[in-house]
């Protein structure tokens, strides 16, 4: 049976990228490639969304892998990971990411040289790898690299499950699933620029726990209590973030009890939000239509293209359009239209199609329902 809700959750996350990366231009907390006038509302939106957004993508990736290996060998799985993740990452960093840092150099540093000259600067200017003010960066494509690495590092677990199967469960137990956020919190201290330990844990939990129908039924049955808990913890976590923005809470060290407690609230908020969304999705997002089917197929391409388009359009819209709300709306709409248009063009170019991991259109199989997640 097709898991349409996975398609729809992924589509929701992909569409959320447009307001997310547009509003990143207006946050009070962190720099970005280009910036508008900061405000508390975009900052609050980013704070709430960033708690669970990427984590859910890795959970969906783990769930998708569990379905994928039912029909693929480990060798086929590794080959697909290479062609769909690592190759697009490499060619994306070489061919598209320098466009983002070109506009970052112009915006933050008053750069007046040509794009070709900046292209050389991109590979020689080493900073913190964010690229927000120019220099070498993977930009948003870090996700592809991390998902590739996590997929490969998880192979012993994946191979064991494929060879030995799973022990049957009579019934899922929600109270055994909820405390898993403590494990996620522990492994979140493993970082390589981003928290690769945290994301790998979400991936493995998606693979081992959230691909079990018994557990999914239990989550669906308790979707409302999970949602109430998630909303409450998201509100508390965001309040703590805002207090940090206002200077009320300072960084006090990773092993300080207050820091650990705040981290636990964030991880619990993320985990309950993910469980609630999966529960609601499994219950209500059971069908499909032509629009969602198209977006499911296009999701990888949209992800790959969107941020470069947002930054390019934003660079020209910010000085021309007055009012923050109008600016952000114009950027979002134009970026979405331009991203779809570019995707359509790229799909018709076989070479770029292959390099960027966007193979010729075909019906979306179950094992492909989370292409970027």
């Amino acid at each position: 049976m097709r898991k349409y809700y996975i398609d729809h959750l992924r589509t929701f996350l992909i569409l959320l990228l447009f307001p997310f990366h547009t509003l990143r231009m207006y946050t009070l907390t962190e720099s970005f490639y280009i910036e508008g006038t900061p405000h508390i509302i975009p900052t609050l939106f980013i704070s709430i969304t960033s708690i669970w957004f990427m984590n859910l993508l890795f959970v969906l990736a783990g769930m998708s892998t569990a379905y994928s290996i039912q029909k693929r060998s480990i060798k086929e799985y590794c080959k697909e990971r290479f062609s769909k993740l690592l190759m697009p990452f490499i060619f994306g960093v070489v061919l598209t990411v320098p466009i983002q840092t070109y506009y970052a150099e112009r915006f933050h540093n008053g750069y007046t040289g040509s794009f070709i000259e900046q292209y050389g600067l991109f590979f020689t200017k080493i900073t913190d790898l964010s690229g927000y003010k120019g220099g070498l960066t993977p930009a948003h494509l870090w996700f592809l690299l991390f998902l590739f690495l996590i997929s490969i590092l998880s192979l012993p677990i994946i191979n064991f499950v494929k060879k030995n199967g799973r022990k049957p469960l009579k019934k899922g137990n929600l109270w055994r699933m909820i405390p898993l956020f403590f494990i996620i919190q522990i492994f979140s201290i493993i970082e390589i620029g981003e928290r690769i330990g945290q994301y790998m844990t979400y991936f493995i939990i998606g693979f081992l726990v959230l691909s079990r129908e018994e557990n999914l039924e239990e989550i669906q049955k308790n979707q409302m209590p999970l949602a109430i808990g998630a909303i409450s913890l998201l509100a508390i976590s965001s309040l703590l973030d805002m207090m940090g923005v206002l200077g009320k809470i300072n960084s006090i060290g990773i092993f300080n009890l207050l820091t650990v407690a705040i981290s636990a609230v964030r991880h619990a908020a993320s985990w309950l939000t993910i469980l609630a969304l999966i529960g609601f999705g499994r219950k209500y997002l059971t069908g499909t239509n032509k629009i969602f089917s198209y977006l499911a197929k296009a999701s990888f391409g949209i992800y790959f293209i969107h941020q470069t388009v947002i930054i390019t359009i934003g660079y020209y819209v910010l000085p021309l359009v007055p009012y923050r709300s109008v600016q952000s709306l114009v950027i979002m709409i134009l970026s979405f239209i331009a991203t779809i248009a570019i995707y359509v063009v790229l799909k018709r170019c076989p070479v770029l199609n292959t390099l960027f991991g966007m193979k010729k259109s075909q019906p979306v199989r179950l094992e492909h329902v989370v292409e970027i997640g």
Side-chain angles (χ1 to χ4, degrees):
M1 181 178 177
R2 277 293 303 276
K3 310 289 185 180
Y4 285 115
Y5 73 94
I6 298 181
D7 285 5
H8 297 321
L9 285 174
R10 181 195 57 186
T11 299
F12 164 67
L13 293 174
I14 296 305
L15 295 179
L16 190 61
L17 289 170
F18 289 93
F20 183 87
H21 283 131
T22 298
L23 295 180
R24 279 285 283 106
M25 302 176 191
Y26 303 96
T27 60
L28 294 163
T29 54
E30 191 177 8
S31 183
F32 201 53
Y33 299 92
I34 59 173
E35 299 173 4
T37 305
H39 192 268
I40 192 68
I41 293 178
T43 305
L44 184 61
F45 175 84
I46 297 300
S47 172
I48 293 173
T49 308
S50 62
I51 291 172
W52 55 269
F53 180 84
M54 296 305 301
N55 298 331
L56 179 53
L57 279 176
F58 283 101
V59 164
L60 294 177
M63 295 173 68
S64 180
T65 295
Y67 301 123
S68 174
I69 63 168
Q70 294 175 11
K71 296 184 178 181
R72 294 183 185 179
S73 67
I74 295 298
K75 182 178 179 180
E76 290 172 334
Y77 175 75
C78 292
K79 183 178 178 181
E80 187 266 350
R81 296 289 85 183
F82 178 83
S83 62
K84 290 290 293 181
L85 296 173
L86 187 59
M87 277 186 59
F89 168 78
I90 293 171
F91 286 103
V93 169
V94 172
L95 298 177
T96 66
V97 172
I99 298 172
Q100 301 181 41
T101 58
Y102 170 67
Y103 287 108
E105 290 280 4
R106 294 187 64 174
F107 184 88
H108 289 286
N109 305 324
Y111 179 77
T112 57
S114 67
F115 173 73
I116 299 300
E117 292 171 328
Q118 189 274 157
Y119 193 79
L121 183 63
F122 174 80
F123 291 101
T124 57
K125 181 179 177 181
I126 309 299
T127 57
D128 60 357
L129 295 182
S130 72
Y132 292 155
K133 296 185 179 181
L136 182 65
T137 177
H140 62 296
L141 299 183
W142 69 265
F143 174 71
L144 303 184
L145 177 62
F146 270 41
L147 185 53
F148 173 78
L149 293 175
I150 288 170
S151 299
I152 300 304
L153 291 172
S154 302
L155 279 177
I157 297 173
I158 295 170
N159 191 45
F160 179 84
V161 170
K162 183 172 178 60
K163 287 184 175 181
N164 299 281
R166 298 166 181 261
K167 183 179 179 180
L169 293 178
K170 293 182 179 180
K171 184 180 178 182
N173 189 318
L174 187 65
W175 299 111
R176 284 201 294 262
M177 285 184 276
I178 288 178
L180 289 174
F181 78 87
F182 285 117
I183 298 175
I184 299 166
Q185 182 178 9
I186 292 170
F187 282 96
S188 70
I189 64 175
I190 302 174
E191 297 187 16
I192 305 177
E194 297 281 346
R195 291 180 173 176
I196 191 169
Q198 171 179 311
Y199 297 137
M200 184 170 179
T201 309
Y202 273 111
F203 178 90
I204 293 172
I205 289 175
F207 175 77
L208 292 177
V209 179
L210 298 184
S211 61
R212 302 291 297 256
E213 288 302 311
E214 302 91 336
N215 291 333
L216 291 170
E217 289 173 5
E218 186 73 5
I219 291 168
Q220 180 178 326
K221 185 174 69 174
N222 292 279
Q223 58 190 292
M224 190 56 68
L226 286 169
I228 293 171
I231 292 171
S232 301
L233 290 176
L234 284 173
I236 294 171
S237 183
S238 297
L239 177 61
L240 292 171
D241 279 350
M242 293 304 100
M243 292 172 66
V245 170
L246 298 174
K248 302 294 184 181
I249 294 178
N250 297 316
S251 177
I252 46 183
I254 191 169
F255 296 111
N256 183 280
L257 288 178
L258 179 58
T259 303
V260 172
I262 292 172
S263 174
V265 170
R266 288 181 61 85
H267 285 291
S270 172
W271 183 229
L272 291 186
T273 301
I274 289 169
L275 293 180
L277 287 172
I278 289 175
F280 278 103
R282 191 173 185 269
K283 182 173 183 178
Y284 296 108
L285 304 178
T286 56
T288 190
N289 56 44
K290 290 183 178 180
I291 294 176
F292 283 118
S293 178
Y294 180 83
L295 289 173
K297 297 173 186 177
S299 61
F300 186 92
I302 292 173
Y303 175 82
F304 192 91
I305 299 164
H306 82 282
Q307 185 167 289
T308 300
V309 174
I310 288 173
I311 291 168
T312 301
I313 290 177
Y315 179 83
Y316 295 105
V317 166
L318 287 179
L320 294 177
V321 177
Y323 308 114
R324 187 188 301 107
S325 58
V326 180
Q327 288 175 353
S328 58
L329 186 61
V330 169
I331 293 170
M332 277 184 257
I333 293 173
L334 291 181
S335 297
F336 179 77
I337 294 172
T339 297
I340 295 296
I342 294 170
Y343 168 77
V344 170
V345 172
L346 289 178
K347 287 291 289 181
R348 286 163 169 73
C349 180
V351 175
L352 293 179
N353 216 334
T354 301
L355 294 181
F356 296 156
M358 296 179 284
K359 296 180 181 179
K360 187 176 181 180
S361 295
Q362 55 184 338
V364 180
R365 302 197 305 273
L366 178 61
E367 59 265 34
H368 287 159
V369 295
V370 190
E371 289 181 338
I372 73 158

